[in-house]
Amino acid sequence: EIKIMLNEHFPAPNLIGQFRQFGEFGPAYKIVTAIRPTEDNDWLLLVKVFETGEEVEYRYSHIKNDPEAH
């Protein structure tokens, strides 16, 4: 079970609800919520993968580099 820590300090709240894809050719996902900051100045976010319906943790530093899904 993933515990969500509501934290107004997440640096990019505008990302929540966006649709992106893993890399240039990967599956699309929706950014669900910020979970928690990491020890290395990153954040873990909860994303929902459309292809499988699963929700997984994914790093903010990776999301920033992923293209928006079309």
Side-chain angles (χ1 to χ4, degrees), residues 17-19 22 35-36 39-41 47 52 62 64-65 67 69:
Q18 275 191 15
F19 297 89
F22 295 107
I35 299 172
R36 66 179 178 275
E39 293 175 1
D40 56 356
N41 286 330
V47 301
T52 61
H62 297 311
K64 286 192 298 188
N65 296 321

Side-chain angles (χ1 to χ4, degrees), residues 41-55:
N41 286 330
D42 204 349
W43 275 79
L44 283 179
L45 279 71
L46 185 68
V47 301
K48 183 168 188 164
V49 184
F50 282 110
E51 228 168 63
T52 61
E54 67 183 320
E55 293 187 337

